Coordinates of all heavy atoms in Angstrom, one line a residue:
M1 N 17.1 -0.5 -2.7 CA 17.3 -1.8 -2.1 C 16.0 -2.7 -2.2 O 16.1 -3.9 -2.1 CB 17.6 -1.7 -0.6 CG 19.1 -1.5 -0.4 SD 20.1 -2.8 -1.0 CE 21.1 -2.0 -2.1
L2 N 14.8 -2.0 -2.4 CA 13.6 -2.8 -2.5 C 13.6 -3.7 -3.7 O 13.2 -4.9 -3.6 CB 12.4 -1.8 -2.6 CG 11.0 -2.5 -2.8 CD1 10.7 -3.3 -1.5 CD2 10.0 -1.4 -3.0
L3 N 14.1 -3.2 -4.8 CA 14.2 -4.1 -6.0 C 15.1 -5.3 -5.8 O 14.7 -6.4 -6.2 CB 14.7 -3.3 -7.2 CG 14.7 -4.0 -8.5 CD1 13.4 -4.6 -8.9 CD2 15.3 -3.1 -9.6
A4 N 16.2 -5.1 -5.1 CA 17.1 -6.2 -4.9 C 16.4 -7.2 -3.9 O 16.6 -8.4 -4.1 CB 18.4 -5.7 -4.2
L5 N 15.7 -6.7 -2.9 CA 15.0 -7.6 -2.0 C 13.9 -8.4 -2.7 O 13.8 -9.6 -2.5 CB 14.3 -6.8 -0.9 CG 13.5 -7.6 0.1 CD1 14.3 -8.5 0.9 CD2 12.7 -6.6 1.0
L6 N 13.1 -7.8 -3.6 CA 12.1 -8.5 -4.3 C 12.7 -9.5 -5.2 O 12.2 -10.6 -5.4 CB 11.3 -7.5 -5.1 CG 10.4 -6.5 -4.3 CD1 9.8 -5.5 -5.2 CD2 9.4 -7.2 -3.5
M7 N 13.8 -9.2 -5.9 CA 14.4 -10.1 -6.8 C 15.0 -11.3 -6.1 O 14.9 -12.5 -6.5 CB 15.5 -9.4 -7.7 CG 14.9 -8.4 -8.6 SD 16.1 -7.5 -9.5 CE 16.8 -8.7 -10.6
C8 N 15.7 -11.0 -4.9 CA 16.3 -12.1 -4.1 C 15.2 -13.1 -3.6 O 15.3 -14.3 -3.7 CB 17.1 -11.6 -3.0 SG 18.6 -10.8 -3.4
Y9 N 14.1 -12.5 -3.2 CA 13.0 -13.4 -2.6 C 12.4 -14.2 -3.8 O 12.2 -15.4 -3.6 CB 11.9 -12.5 -2.0 CG 10.9 -13.4 -1.3 CD1 11.2 -13.9 0.0 CD2 9.7 -13.6 -1.9 CE1 10.2 -14.7 0.6 CE2 8.7 -14.4 -1.2 CZ 9.0 -15.0 0.0 OH 8.1 -15.7 0.6
A10 N 12.2 -13.6 -4.9 CA 11.7 -14.4 -6.1 C 12.6 -15.4 -6.5 O 12.2 -16.6 -6.9 CB 11.3 -13.4 -7.2
G11 N 13.9 -15.1 -6.5 CA 14.9 -16.1 -6.9 C 15.0 -17.3 -6.0 O 15.0 -18.5 -6.4
F12 N 15.0 -17.0 -4.7 CA 15.0 -18.1 -3.7 C 13.7 -18.9 -3.8 O 13.7 -20.1 -3.6 CB 15.2 -17.6 -2.3 CG 16.6 -17.3 -2.0 CD1 17.0 -16.1 -1.4 CD2 17.6 -18.3 -2.1 CE1 18.3 -15.8 -1.1 CE2 18.9 -18.0 -1.8 CZ 19.3 -16.8 -1.3
T13 N 12.6 -18.3 -4.1 CA 11.3 -19.0 -4.2 C 11.3 -19.9 -5.4 O 10.9 -21.1 -5.4 CB 10.1 -18.1 -4.3 OG1 10.1 -17.2 -3.2 CG2 8.8 -18.8 -4.3
A14 N 11.9 -19.5 -6.5 CA 12.1 -20.3 -7.7 C 13.0 -21.5 -7.4 O 12.7 -22.6 -7.8 CB 12.6 -19.5 -8.9
L15 N 14.0 -21.3 -6.7 CA 14.9 -22.4 -6.3 C 14.2 -23.4 -5.4 O 14.4 -24.6 -5.5 CB 16.2 -21.9 -5.7 CG 17.2 -21.2 -6.6 CD1 18.3 -20.6 -5.8 CD2 17.7 -22.2 -7.6
C16 N 13.4 -22.8 -4.5 CA 12.6 -23.7 -3.6 C 11.6 -24.5 -4.4 O 11.4 -25.7 -4.1 CB 11.9 -22.7 -2.6 SG 10.7 -23.6 -1.6
L17 N 11.0 -23.9 -5.4 CA 10.0 -24.7 -6.2 C 10.6 -25.7 -7.1 O 9.9 -26.5 -7.6 CB 9.1 -23.7 -7.0 CG 8.1 -22.9 -6.2 CD1 7.4 -21.9 -7.1 CD2 7.1 -23.8 -5.6
S18 N 11.9 -25.6 -7.3 CA 12.6 -26.6 -8.2 C 12.8 -27.9 -7.5 O 13.2 -28.9 -8.1 CB 13.9 -26.0 -8.7 OG 14.9 -26.0 -7.7
T19 N 12.5 -28.0 -6.2 CA 12.6 -29.3 -5.5 C 11.3 -30.0 -5.4 O 10.2 -29.3 -5.4 CB 13.1 -29.1 -4.0 OG1 12.2 -28.3 -3.3 CG2 14.5 -28.3 -4.0
D20 N 11.3 -31.3 -5.4 CA 10.0 -32.0 -5.5 C 9.2 -31.8 -4.2 O 8.0 -31.6 -4.3 CB 10.3 -33.5 -5.5 CG 10.9 -34.0 -6.9 OD1 10.6 -33.3 -7.9 OD2 11.6 -35.0 -6.9
R21 N 9.8 -31.7 -3.1 CA 9.1 -31.6 -1.8 C 8.3 -30.3 -1.8 O 7.1 -30.3 -1.5 CB 10.0 -31.7 -0.7 CG 9.4 -31.5 0.7 CD 10.4 -31.6 1.8 NE 9.8 -31.2 3.0 CZ 10.5 -30.8 4.1 NH1 11.8 -30.8 4.0 NH2 9.9 -30.4 5.2
H22 N 9.0 -29.2 -2.0 CA 8.3 -27.9 -1.9 C 7.4 -27.6 -3.0 O 6.3 -27.0 -2.8 CB 9.4 -26.8 -1.8 CG 10.2 -26.8 -0.6 ND1 9.7 -26.8 0.7 CD2 11.5 -27.0 -0.4 CE1 10.6 -26.8 1.6 NE2 11.8 -27.0 1.0
H23 N 7.7 -28.1 -4.2 CA 6.8 -28.0 -5.3 C 5.4 -28.7 -5.0 O 4.4 -28.2 -5.3 CB 7.4 -28.5 -6.6 CG 6.7 -28.1 -7.9 ND1 5.6 -28.7 -8.3 CD2 7.0 -27.1 -8.7 CE1 5.2 -28.1 -9.5 NE2 6.1 -27.1 -9.7
D24 N 5.6 -29.9 -4.5 CA 4.4 -30.7 -4.2 C 3.6 -30.0 -3.0 O 2.4 -29.9 -3.1 CB 4.8 -32.1 -3.8 CG 3.6 -33.0 -3.5 OD1 2.6 -32.8 -4.3 OD2 3.6 -33.8 -2.6
E25 N 4.3 -29.5 -2.0 CA 3.6 -28.8 -0.9 C 2.9 -27.5 -1.3 O 1.8 -27.3 -0.9 CB 4.7 -28.5 0.2 CG 4.1 -27.8 1.4 CD 5.2 -27.5 2.4 OE1 6.1 -28.4 2.6 OE2 5.2 -26.4 3.0
L26 N 3.5 -26.7 -2.2 CA 2.9 -25.5 -2.6 C 2.0 -25.5 -3.7 O 1.0 -24.8 -3.8 CB 4.1 -24.5 -2.9 CG 4.9 -24.1 -1.7 CD1 6.1 -23.2 -2.2 CD2 4.1 -23.3 -0.7
L27 N 2.3 -26.4 -4.7 CA 1.5 -26.4 -6.0 C 0.7 -27.7 -6.1 O 0.0 -27.9 -7.1 CB 2.4 -26.2 -7.2 CG 3.1 -24.8 -7.2 CD1 4.0 -24.7 -8.4 CD2 2.1 -23.7 -7.1
H28 N 0.9 -28.7 -5.2 CA 0.2 -30.0 -5.2 C 0.4 -30.8 -6.4 O -0.5 -31.4 -7.0 CB -1.3 -29.7 -5.0 CG -1.6 -29.0 -3.7 ND1 -1.3 -29.4 -2.5 CD2 -2.1 -27.7 -3.6 CE1 -1.7 -28.5 -1.6 NE2 -2.2 -27.4 -2.2
S29 N 1.7 -30.7 -7.0 CA 2.0 -31.6 -8.1 C 3.6 -31.7 -8.1 O 4.3 -30.9 -7.5 CB 1.6 -31.0 -9.4 OG 2.3 -29.8 -9.7
K30 N 4.0 -32.8 -8.7 CA 5.5 -32.9 -8.9 C 5.9 -32.2 -10.1 O 5.2 -32.2 -11.2 CB 5.8 -34.4 -9.1 CG 5.5 -35.3 -7.9 CD 6.5 -35.1 -6.8 CE 6.1 -36.0 -5.6 NZ 6.8 -35.7 -4.4
P31 N 7.1 -31.5 -10.1 CA 7.6 -30.8 -11.2 C 8.1 -31.7 -12.3 O 8.8 -32.8 -11.9 CB 8.6 -29.9 -10.7 CG 9.2 -30.6 -9.5 CD 8.0 -31.3 -8.9
S32 N 7.9 -31.4 -13.5 CA 8.5 -32.2 -14.6 C 10.0 -31.9 -14.6 O 10.4 -30.8 -14.1 CB 7.9 -31.9 -15.9 OG 8.1 -30.5 -16.3
P33 N 10.8 -32.7 -15.2 CA 12.3 -32.4 -15.3 C 12.5 -31.1 -16.0 O 13.4 -30.3 -15.7 CB 12.8 -33.5 -16.1 CG 11.9 -34.7 -15.8 CD 10.5 -34.1 -15.7
R34 N 11.7 -30.8 -17.0 CA 11.9 -29.5 -17.8 C 11.5 -28.3 -16.9 O 12.2 -27.3 -16.9 CB 11.0 -29.5 -19.0 CG 11.2 -28.4 -19.9 CD 10.4 -28.5 -21.2 NE 10.6 -27.4 -22.0 CZ 10.2 -27.3 -23.2 NH1 9.4 -28.3 -23.7 NH2 10.4 -26.3 -24.0
R35 N 10.5 -28.4 -16.1 CA 10.1 -27.3 -15.2 C 11.1 -27.1 -14.1 O 11.4 -26.0 -13.7 CB 8.7 -27.6 -14.6 CG 8.3 -26.5 -13.6 CD 6.9 -26.8 -13.1 NE 5.9 -26.2 -14.0 CZ 4.6 -26.2 -13.8 NH1 4.2 -26.7 -12.6 NH2 3.8 -25.8 -14.6
R36 N 11.6 -28.2 -13.6 CA 12.6 -28.2 -12.5 C 13.8 -27.5 -13.0 O 14.4 -26.6 -12.3 CB 12.9 -29.6 -12.1 CG 13.9 -29.6 -10.9 CD 14.2 -31.0 -10.5 NE 13.0 -31.8 -10.1 CZ 12.7 -33.0 -10.8 NH1 13.5 -33.5 -11.7 NH2 11.6 -33.6 -10.4
L37 N 14.3 -27.8 -14.2 CA 15.5 -27.1 -14.8 C 15.2 -25.6 -15.0 O 16.0 -24.8 -14.8 CB 15.9 -27.8 -16.1 CG 17.1 -27.2 -16.8 CD1 18.3 -27.4 -15.9 CD2 17.3 -27.9 -18.1
G38 N 14.0 -25.3 -15.6 CA 13.6 -23.9 -15.8 C 13.6 -23.1 -14.5 O 14.0 -22.0 -14.5
L39 N 13.0 -23.7 -13.5 CA 13.0 -23.0 -12.2 C 14.4 -22.8 -11.6 O 14.7 -21.7 -11.0 CB 12.1 -23.8 -11.2 CG 10.6 -23.7 -11.4 CD1 9.9 -24.7 -10.6 CD2 10.1 -22.3 -11.1
R40 N 15.2 -23.8 -11.8 CA 16.6 -23.6 -11.3 C 17.4 -22.5 -12.0 O 18.0 -21.7 -11.4 CB 17.4 -24.9 -11.4 CG 17.0 -25.9 -10.3 CD 17.9 -27.1 -10.4 NE 17.5 -28.1 -9.4 CZ 17.6 -29.4 -9.5 NH1 18.2 -29.9 -10.6 NH2 17.1 -30.2 -8.6
I41 N 17.2 -22.5 -13.3 CA 17.9 -21.5 -14.1 C 17.4 -20.1 -13.8 O 18.1 -19.2 -13.6 CB 17.8 -21.9 -15.6 CG1 18.6 -23.1 -16.0 CG2 18.2 -20.7 -16.5 CD1 18.4 -23.6 -17.3
A42 N 16.0 -20.0 -13.7 CA 15.4 -18.7 -13.4 C 15.8 -18.2 -12.1 O 16.1 -17.1 -11.9 CB 13.9 -18.8 -13.5
G43 N 15.8 -19.1 -11.1 CA 16.2 -18.7 -9.7 C 17.6 -18.2 -9.6 O 17.9 -17.1 -9.1
W44 N 18.6 -18.9 -10.2 CA 20.0 -18.5 -10.2 C 20.2 -17.2 -11.0 O 21.0 -16.4 -10.6 CB 20.9 -19.6 -10.6 CG 21.1 -20.7 -9.6 CD1 20.7 -22.0 -9.6 CD2 21.7 -20.5 -8.3 NE1 21.0 -22.6 -8.5 CE2 21.7 -21.7 -7.7 CE3 22.3 -19.4 -7.7 CZ2 22.2 -21.9 -6.4 CZ3 22.9 -19.6 -6.4 CH2 22.8 -20.9 -5.8
L45 N 19.5 -17.1 -12.1 CA 19.6 -15.9 -12.9 C 19.1 -14.7 -12.2 O 19.7 -13.6 -12.2 CB 18.8 -16.1 -14.3 CG 18.9 -15.0 -15.3 CD1 20.4 -14.9 -15.8 CD2 18.0 -15.3 -16.4
V46 N 17.9 -14.8 -11.6 CA 17.4 -13.7 -10.8 C 18.3 -13.3 -9.6 O 18.5 -12.1 -9.4 CB 15.9 -14.0 -10.4 CG1 15.4 -12.9 -9.4 CG2 15.0 -14.1 -11.6
L47 N 18.8 -14.3 -8.9 CA 19.7 -14.0 -7.8 C 21.0 -13.3 -8.3 O 21.5 -12.4 -7.7 CB 20.1 -15.3 -7.1 CG 19.0 -15.8 -6.2 CD1 19.5 -17.2 -5.6 CD2 18.7 -14.9 -5.0
T48 N 21.5 -13.7 -9.5 CA 22.7 -13.1 -10.0 C 22.4 -11.7 -10.5 O 23.2 -10.7 -10.2 CB 23.2 -13.9 -11.2 OG1 23.4 -15.3 -10.8 CG2 24.5 -13.3 -11.8
V49 N 21.3 -11.4 -11.1 CA 20.9 -10.1 -11.6 C 20.5 -9.2 -10.5 O 20.6 -8.0 -10.6 CB 19.8 -10.2 -12.7 CG1 19.3 -8.9 -13.1 CG2 20.3 -11.0 -13.9
S50 N 20.2 -9.7 -9.3 CA 19.8 -8.9 -8.2 C 20.9 -8.1 -7.7 O 20.7 -7.1 -6.9 CB 19.1 -9.7 -7.1 OG 20.1 -10.5 -6.5
I51 N 22.1 -8.4 -8.0 CA 23.3 -7.6 -7.6 C 23.2 -6.2 -8.3 O 23.6 -5.2 -7.7 CB 24.6 -8.3 -8.0 CG1 24.8 -9.6 -7.3 CG2 25.8 -7.4 -7.7 CD1 25.9 -10.5 -7.8
W52 N 22.7 -6.1 -9.5 CA 22.7 -4.9 -10.2 C 22.0 -3.7 -9.5 O 22.6 -2.6 -9.4 CB 22.1 -5.1 -11.6 CG 21.8 -3.8 -12.3 CD1 22.7 -3.0 -12.9 CD2 20.5 -3.2 -12.5 NE1 22.1 -1.9 -13.4 CE2 20.7 -2.0 -13.2 CE3 19.3 -3.6 -12.1 CZ2 19.7 -1.2 -13.5 CZ3 18.2 -2.7 -12.5 CH2 18.4 -1.6 -13.2
P53 N 20.8 -3.9 -9.0 CA 20.2 -2.7 -8.3 C 20.9 -2.3 -7.1 O 21.0 -1.1 -6.8 CB 18.8 -3.2 -8.0 CG 18.6 -4.6 -8.4 CD 19.9 -5.0 -9.1
A54 N 21.5 -3.2 -6.4 CA 22.2 -2.9 -5.1 C 23.5 -2.1 -5.5 O 23.8 -1.0 -4.8 CB 22.6 -4.1 -4.4
V55 N 24.2 -2.5 -6.5 CA 25.4 -1.8 -6.9 C 25.1 -0.4 -7.5 O 25.8 0.5 -7.4 CB 26.2 -2.7 -7.8 CG1 27.4 -1.9 -8.4 CG2 26.8 -3.9 -7.0
A56 N 24.0 -0.4 -8.3 CA 23.6 0.9 -9.0 C 23.2 1.9 -7.9 O 23.5 3.1 -8.2 CB 22.4 0.6 -9.9
V57 N 22.6 1.6 -6.8 CA 22.2 2.5 -5.8 C 23.4 3.0 -5.0 O 23.5 4.2 -4.7 CB 21.0 2.0 -5.0 CG1 20.8 2.9 -3.8 CG2 19.8 1.8 -5.8
A58 N 24.2 2.1 -4.5 CA 25.2 2.4 -3.5 C 26.6 2.2 -3.9 O 27.5 2.4 -3.1 CB 24.9 1.5 -2.2
G59 N 26.9 1.8 -5.1 CA 28.2 1.6 -5.5 C 28.7 0.2 -5.2 O 28.1 -0.5 -4.5
W60 N 29.9 -0.1 -5.7 CA 30.4 -1.5 -5.5 C 30.8 -1.8 -4.0 O 30.5 -2.9 -3.5 CB 31.7 -1.7 -6.3 CG 31.3 -2.0 -7.7 CD1 31.3 -1.2 -8.8 CD2 30.8 -3.2 -8.3 NE1 30.9 -1.8 -9.9 CE2 30.5 -3.1 -9.6 CE3 30.5 -4.5 -7.7 CZ2 30.0 -4.1 -10.5 CZ3 30.0 -5.5 -8.5 CH2 29.7 -5.3 -9.9
G61 N 31.4 -0.8 -3.3 CA 31.8 -1.1 -2.0 C 30.7 -1.4 -1.0 O 30.6 -2.4 -0.3
L62 N 29.7 -0.5 -0.9 CA 28.6 -0.6 0.0 C 27.5 -1.5 -0.6 O 26.8 -2.1 0.1 CB 28.1 0.8 0.4 CG 27.1 0.8 1.5 CD1 27.6 0.2 2.8 CD2 26.7 2.2 1.8
G63 N 27.3 -1.4 -2.0 CA 26.3 -2.1 -2.6 C 26.4 -3.6 -2.4 O 25.3 -4.3 -2.2
L64 N 27.6 -4.2 -2.5 CA 27.7 -5.6 -2.3 C 27.4 -6.0 -0.9 O 26.9 -7.1 -0.6 CB 29.1 -6.1 -2.7 CG 29.5 -6.1 -4.2 CD1 30.9 -6.5 -4.4 CD2 28.5 -7.0 -4.9
V65 N 27.8 -5.2 0.1 CA 27.5 -5.5 1.5 C 26.0 -5.5 1.7 O 25.4 -6.3 2.3 CB 28.2 -4.5 2.4 CG1 27.8 -4.7 3.8 CG2 29.7 -4.6 2.3
Q66 N 25.3 -4.5 1.1 CA 23.9 -4.4 1.3 C 23.2 -5.5 0.5 O 22.2 -6.0 1.0 CB 23.4 -3.0 0.7 CG 23.8 -1.9 1.6 CD 23.3 -0.5 1.0 OE1 22.9 -0.5 -0.1 NE2 23.4 0.5 1.8
W67 N 23.7 -5.9 -0.6 CA 23.2 -7.0 -1.3 C 23.3 -8.3 -0.5 O 22.3 -9.1 -0.5 CB 23.8 -7.2 -2.7 CG 23.4 -8.4 -3.4 CD1 22.2 -8.5 -4.1 CD2 24.0 -9.6 -3.6 NE1 22.1 -9.7 -4.7 CE2 23.2 -10.4 -4.4 CE3 25.3 -10.1 -3.2 CZ2 23.6 -11.7 -4.8 CZ3 25.6 -11.4 -3.6 CH2 24.8 -12.2 -4.4
C68 N 24.4 -8.5 0.2 CA 24.5 -9.7 1.0 C 23.5 -9.7 2.2 O 22.9 -10.7 2.5 CB 25.9 -9.8 1.6 SG 27.2 -10.3 0.4
A69 N 23.3 -8.5 2.7 CA 22.3 -8.4 3.8 C 20.9 -8.7 3.3 O 20.1 -9.4 3.9 CB 22.3 -7.0 4.4
V70 N 20.5 -8.2 2.1 CA 19.2 -8.4 1.5 C 19.1 -9.9 1.1 O 18.0 -10.5 1.3 CB 19.0 -7.5 0.2 CG1 17.9 -7.9 -0.6 CG2 18.9 -6.1 0.7
L71 N 20.2 -10.5 0.6 CA 20.1 -11.9 0.3 C 19.8 -12.8 1.5 O 19.0 -13.6 1.5 CB 21.5 -12.3 -0.3 CG 21.6 -13.5 -1.1 CD1 20.9 -13.5 -2.4 CD2 23.1 -13.8 -1.4
M72 N 20.5 -12.5 2.6 CA 20.3 -13.2 3.9 C 18.8 -13.0 4.4 O 18.2 -13.9 4.9 CB 21.3 -12.9 4.9 CG 22.7 -13.4 4.6 SD 23.9 -13.1 5.9 CE 24.2 -11.4 5.7
F73 N 18.4 -11.7 4.3 CA 17.0 -11.4 4.9 C 16.0 -12.1 4.0 O 15.0 -12.7 4.6 CB 16.8 -9.9 4.9 CG 15.4 -9.6 5.3 CD1 15.1 -9.7 6.7 CD2 14.5 -9.1 4.4 CE1 13.8 -9.4 7.1 CE2 13.2 -8.8 4.9 CZ 12.9 -8.9 6.2
S74 N 16.1 -12.1 2.7 CA 15.1 -12.8 1.9 C 15.1 -14.3 2.1 O 14.0 -14.9 2.1 CB 15.3 -12.4 0.4 OG 16.5 -12.9 0.0
A75 N 16.3 -14.9 2.2 CA 16.3 -16.3 2.5 C 15.7 -16.7 3.9 O 15.0 -17.6 4.0 CB 17.8 -16.8 2.4
L76 N 16.0 -15.8 4.9 CA 15.4 -16.0 6.2 C 13.9 -15.9 6.2 O 13.2 -16.7 6.8 CB 16.0 -15.0 7.2 CG 15.5 -15.1 8.6 CD1 15.9 -16.4 9.3 CD2 16.0 -13.9 9.4
L77 N 13.4 -14.9 5.5 CA 12.0 -14.7 5.4 C 11.3 -16.0 4.7 O 10.3 -16.5 5.2 CB 11.7 -13.5 4.6 CG 10.2 -13.1 4.4 CD1 9.6 -12.8 5.7 CD2 10.1 -11.9 3.5
L78 N 11.9 -16.5 3.7 CA 11.3 -17.6 3.0 C 11.4 -18.9 3.9 O 10.4 -19.6 4.0 CB 12.1 -17.9 1.7 CG 11.5 -19.0 0.8 CD1 10.1 -18.7 0.4 CD2 12.4 -19.3 -0.4
V79 N 12.5 -19.1 4.6 CA 12.7 -20.2 5.5 C 11.7 -20.2 6.6 O 11.2 -21.2 7.1 CB 14.1 -20.3 6.0 CG1 14.3 -21.3 7.1 CG2 15.0 -20.7 4.8
L80 N 11.4 -19.0 7.2 CA 10.5 -18.9 8.3 C 9.0 -19.0 7.8 O 8.2 -19.5 8.6 CB 10.7 -17.5 9.0 CG 12.0 -17.4 9.8 CD1 12.1 -16.0 10.4 CD2 12.1 -18.5 10.8
L81 N 8.7 -18.6 6.6 CA 7.4 -18.7 6.1 C 7.0 -20.1 5.6 O 5.8 -20.5 5.8 CB 7.1 -17.7 5.0 CG 6.9 -16.2 5.3 CD1 6.8 -15.4 4.1 CD2 5.7 -16.1 6.2
L82 N 7.9 -20.8 5.1 CA 7.6 -22.1 4.5 C 6.9 -23.1 5.4 O 5.9 -23.7 5.1 CB 8.8 -22.8 3.8 CG 9.1 -22.3 2.4 CD1 10.3 -22.9 1.9 CD2 7.9 -22.6 1.5
P83 N 7.4 -23.3 6.7 CA 6.8 -24.3 7.5 C 5.4 -23.9 8.0 O 4.5 -24.7 8.3 CB 7.7 -24.5 8.7 CG 9.0 -23.8 8.3 CD 8.6 -22.8 7.2
Y84 N 5.2 -22.6 8.2 CA 4.0 -22.1 8.9 C 2.9 -21.5 8.0 O 1.8 -21.7 8.1 CB 4.3 -21.1 10.0 CG 5.3 -21.6 11.0 CD1 6.6 -21.2 11.0 CD2 4.9 -22.6 11.9 CE1 7.5 -21.7 11.9 CE2 5.8 -23.1 12.8 CZ 7.1 -22.7 12.8 OH 8.0 -23.2 13.7
R85 N 3.4 -20.8 7.0 CA 2.5 -20.1 6.0 C 3.0 -20.3 4.6 O 3.5 -19.4 3.9 CB 2.4 -18.6 6.3 CG 1.9 -18.3 7.6 CD 0.4 -18.3 7.7 NE 0.0 -17.8 9.0 CZ -1.2 -18.0 9.4 NH1 -2.1 -18.7 8.7 NH2 -1.5 -17.6 10.6
P86 N 2.9 -21.6 4.1 CA 3.5 -21.8 2.7 C 2.8 -21.1 1.6 O 3.4 -20.6 0.7 CB 3.4 -23.3 2.6 CG 2.4 -23.8 3.6 CD 2.4 -22.8 4.7
R87 N 1.5 -20.9 1.7 CA 0.8 -20.2 0.7 C 1.2 -18.7 0.7 O 1.3 -18.1 -0.3 CB -0.8 -20.3 0.9 CG -1.3 -21.6 0.4 CD -1.2 -21.6 -1.1 NE -1.8 -22.8 -1.6 CZ -1.6 -23.2 -2.8 NH1 -0.9 -22.5 -3.6 NH2 -2.2 -24.3 -3.2
L88 N 1.4 -18.1 1.9 CA 1.8 -16.7 2.0 C 3.2 -16.5 1.3 O 3.4 -15.5 0.7 CB 1.8 -16.3 3.4 CG 2.2 -14.8 3.7 CD1 1.3 -13.9 3.0 CD2 2.3 -14.6 5.2
A89 N 4.0 -17.5 1.5 CA 5.4 -17.4 0.9 C 5.2 -17.4 -0.6 O 5.9 -16.6 -1.3 CB 6.2 -18.6 1.3
L90 N 4.3 -18.2 -1.2 CA 4.1 -18.2 -2.6 C 3.4 -16.9 -3.1 O 3.8 -16.3 -4.1 CB 3.3 -19.4 -3.0 CG 3.2 -19.8 -4.5 CD1 4.6 -20.1 -5.0 CD2 2.3 -21.0 -4.7
I91 N 2.5 -16.4 -2.3 CA 1.8 -15.1 -2.7 C 2.8 -14.0 -2.7 O 2.7 -13.1 -3.5 CB 0.6 -14.9 -1.8 CG1 -0.5 -15.9 -2.1 CG2 0.1 -13.5 -1.9 CD1 -1.6 -16.0 -1.0
L92 N 3.6 -13.9 -1.7 CA 4.6 -12.8 -1.6 C 5.6 -12.8 -2.8 O 6.0 -11.8 -3.2 CB 5.4 -12.9 -0.3 CG 4.7 -12.5 1.0 CD1 5.5 -12.7 2.2 CD2 4.2 -11.0 0.9
A93 N 5.9 -14.0 -3.2 CA 6.8 -14.1 -4.4 C 6.1 -13.6 -5.6 O 6.7 -12.8 -6.4 CB 7.3 -15.5 -4.6
G94 N 4.8 -13.9 -5.8 CA 4.1 -13.4 -6.9 C 3.9 -11.9 -6.9 O 4.0 -11.2 -7.9
L95 N 3.6 -11.4 -5.7 CA 3.5 -10.0 -5.5 C 4.8 -9.3 -5.8 O 4.8 -8.2 -6.4 CB 2.9 -9.6 -4.1 CG 1.5 -9.9 -3.9 CD1 1.1 -9.6 -2.4 CD2 0.6 -9.1 -4.8
G96 N 5.9 -9.9 -5.4 CA 7.2 -9.3 -5.6 C 7.5 -9.2 -7.1 O 8.1 -8.2 -7.5
V97 N 7.1 -10.2 -7.8 CA 7.3 -10.2 -9.3 C 6.5 -9.1 -9.9 O 7.0 -8.3 -10.8 CB 7.0 -11.5 -9.9 CG1 7.0 -11.5 -11.4 CG2 8.1 -12.6 -9.5
L98 N 5.3 -8.9 -9.4 CA 4.4 -7.8 -10.0 C 4.9 -6.4 -9.6 O 4.7 -5.5 -10.4 CB 3.0 -8.0 -9.5 CG 2.3 -9.3 -10.1 CD1 0.9 -9.4 -9.4 CD2 2.1 -9.2 -11.6
V99 N 5.4 -6.3 -8.4 CA 5.9 -4.9 -7.9 C 7.3 -4.6 -8.4 O 7.6 -3.4 -8.4 CB 5.8 -4.9 -6.4 CG1 6.3 -3.6 -5.8 CG2 4.3 -5.1 -5.9
S100 N 8.0 -5.5 -8.9 CA 9.4 -5.3 -9.3 C 9.5 -4.2 -10.4 O 10.4 -3.4 -10.3 CB 10.1 -6.6 -9.8 OG 10.3 -7.4 -8.7
P101 N 8.7 -4.2 -11.4 CA 8.8 -3.1 -12.4 C 8.6 -1.7 -11.8 O 9.3 -0.7 -12.1 CB 7.8 -3.4 -13.4 CG 7.5 -4.9 -13.3 CD 7.7 -5.2 -11.9
V102 N 7.7 -1.6 -10.8 CA 7.5 -0.3 -10.2 C 8.7 0.1 -9.4 O 9.1 1.2 -9.4 CB 6.2 -0.4 -9.3 CG1 6.0 0.9 -8.5 CG2 5.0 -0.7 -10.1
A103 N 9.3 -0.9 -8.7 CA 10.5 -0.6 -7.9 C 11.7 -0.3 -8.8 O 12.5 0.6 -8.4 CB 10.8 -1.8 -7.0
A104 N 11.7 -0.9 -10.0 CA 12.8 -0.5 -10.9 C 12.7 0.9 -11.4 O 13.7 1.6 -11.5 CB 12.8 -1.5 -12.1
F105 N 11.5 1.4 -11.7 CA 11.3 2.7 -12.1 C 11.5 3.7 -11.0 O 11.9 4.9 -11.2 CB 9.9 2.9 -12.7 CG 9.8 2.4 -14.1 CD1 8.9 1.4 -14.4 CD2 10.6 2.9 -15.1 CE1 8.8 0.9 -15.7 CE2 10.5 2.4 -16.4 CZ 9.6 1.4 -16.7
A106 N 11.3 3.3 -9.7 CA 11.5 4.2 -8.6 C 12.9 4.4 -8.3 O 13.3 5.5 -7.8 CB 10.8 3.6 -7.4
T107 N 13.8 3.5 -8.7 CA 15.2 3.6 -8.5 C 15.9 4.5 -9.5 O 17.0 5.0 -9.3 CB 16.0 2.3 -8.4 OG1 15.8 1.6 -9.6 CG2 15.5 1.5 -7.3
L108 N 15.2 4.7 -10.6 CA 15.8 5.6 -11.7 C 15.7 7.0 -11.4 O 15.4 7.7 -10.7 CB 15.1 5.3 -13.0 CG 15.3 3.9 -13.6 CD1 14.5 3.7 -14.9 CD2 16.7 3.6 -13.8

């Protein structure tokens, strides 16, 4: 479930950065249309692929339920961090991307 959590958080962060307001707040610049589109595609792709580790660990019946819980938890974490600790939200997403390969090998 750790891999699904890391992927969901990274996906939601990418979707968050695809908006002008959050991109400016976190990275102090406006995103170009190409970057905005790339972040949206990457965010939705990572969120879609995050179903795989949940289903691989627990099967379709329980895996989808656990994936929904991880999806809600990662969104809640990002929503709670953005107003108070925006830099921490961005750092956690970066760390999540770096730790994801280790979590992928741990599930095998």
